[in-house]
Amino acid sequence: MAALIMVRPGSDWQATGGLFEWTLEFLIPRLGDRGTAERLRTVVAENLGSLWIPDLPEAGRAEIYTLLRTGVVAAARRELPDGPGKGDALAQLQELVALTYAKNS
């Protein structure tokens, strides 16, 4: 099953359901904004398969962008199991990080 994160309006990231869930599970315990963390927990628990970051409070959005930029790829390198799909997963996460920098006109 594919899942989607809208990073910014017009900037979407698609991944397998497993990588999507892993990404949210990476974010949840690191978020200081408890409301945003709870929203991400609900997405995972209800298997919703999508997250619209622009719909989150400003504090939550800023934290998510920072956490993705500063740690998600390194954490994936450490935590994801070795195997033929790991390189693709890391590349997808690098694409997600790049989208956090994208500015829309």
Side-chain angles (χ1 to χ4, degrees):
M1 177 174 94
L4 175 85
I5 294 178
M6 177 192 282
V7 180
R8 297 183 188 277
S11 296
D12 300 337
W13 180 73
Q14 289 190 333
T16 64
L19 187 57
F20 170 82
E21 185 173 318
W22 182 90
T23 303
L24 269 56
E25 293 285 359
F26 164 81
L27 293 168
I28 291 167
R30 292 167 174 84
L31 284 166
D33 183 326
R34 301 320 312 155
T36 298
E38 191 56 39
R39 196 140 165 209
L40 271 59
R41 271 190 206 89
T42 300
V43 170
V44 172
E46 299 292 328
N47 197 27
L48 298 178
S50 65
L51 173 68
W52 301 142
I53 295 175
D55 289 349
L56 298 171
E58 176 59 35
R61 286 193 307 264
E63 271 193 281
I64 287 173
Y65 295 147
T66 298
L67 289 166
L68 292 173
R69 291 171 182 165
T70 61
V72 74
V73 174
R77 229 179 241 114
R78 287 188 312 271
E79 298 174 17
L80 293 179
D82 290 330
K86 187 170 183 174
D88 290 340
L90 293 172
Q92 279 190 285
L93 288 167
Q94 289 168 335
E95 290 171 13
L96 173 60
V97 171
L99 290 174
T100 70
Y101 292 102
K103 299 286 185 202
N104 294 318
S105 40

